[in-house]
Amino acid sequence: QVQLMESGGGLVQPGGSLRLSCAASGFTFSAYGMHWVRQAPGKGLEWVAVIWYDASNKYYADNVKGRFTISRDDSKNTLYLQMNSLTPEDTAVYSCARDHKGGYCTGDSCYIDFWGQGTLVTVSS
Amino acid sequence: QSALTQPASVSASPGQSITISCTGSTNDVGYYDYVSWYQHHPGKAPKLMIFDVTKRPSGVSNRFSGSKSGNTASLTISGLQADDEADYYCTSYTSEYGYVFGTGTTVTVL
């Protein structure tokens, strides 16, 4: 079955950097687009970024654009999120999630189907 | 991108029906038929309940149904059960090649 396991979270100071990883199994990783989504403490879900199945396109939420970079290594079935210039507002549980297809809408269908449980990132001095 | 608007909480007794609304704009809910709903028990991975406004993944109970009118989508849970108690989030594809989530609704079974 589809499994997504995030790692790399922790405590980081404001202005610092962190790289998250998401190990995928149970499906053909290279055929699917992948997303990062986060949830701040006591808040709702927030979409962060998407990378297409072939890494040809990457899109970001406005509040992380220029600071976060999504990437993938299909040889390792792993998704990454490089986070730079972190602020306390970036404190959240970060989850990776699988797109229903390649990361783009396919005519009559567009959704995220499976999620990991997430890894906590705390930005604090 | 502003979050989609959902009621903070909805409650009902077992066996009753509830409807959760999700209001967006002409840039998301109103333009695309790409609204999904997720059930989220804190500490666990969210579960897809409805996609493309009205479609149910295999294995999801037919007590869950979705609809849309204008800029507002809705999730209806009929025959409410104790294990339906959870947070529910809507999401919509947007014109900026990403997704926007709703503010979330806590469903309480009385």
Side-chain angles (χ1 to χ4, degrees), chain B residues 18-109:
Chain B
I18 61 169
T19 296
I20 302 169
S21 61
C22 169
T23 300
S25 71
T26 53
N27 291 323
D28 37 66
V29 176
Y31 189 82
Y32 299 100
D33 287 334
Y34 297 145
V35 176
S36 306
W37 290 89
Y38 299 88
Q39 179 189 67
H40 188 205
H41 291 100
K44 294 192 171 183
K47 177 184 177 183
L48 178 67
M49 306 303 286
I50 295 287
F51 65 97
D52 298 342
V53 179
T54 61
K55 300 173 185 175
R56 258 188 327 271
S58 61
V60 171
S61 170
N62 60 8
R63 298 185 298 106
F64 292 82
S65 62
S67 62
K68 191 186 89 167
S69 177
N71 294 342
T72 298
S74 299
L75 173 72
T76 297
I77 309 175
S78 59
L80 201 62
Q81 299 178 358
D83 60 2
D84 295 334
E85 193 163 282
D87 295 326
Y88 290 82
Y89 291 90
C90 62
T91 187
S92 173
Y93 183 74
T94 80
S95 56
E96 298 172 8
Y97 298 100
Y99 288 85
V100 59
F101 281 90
T103 49
T105 299
T106 298
V107 169
T108 302
V109 181

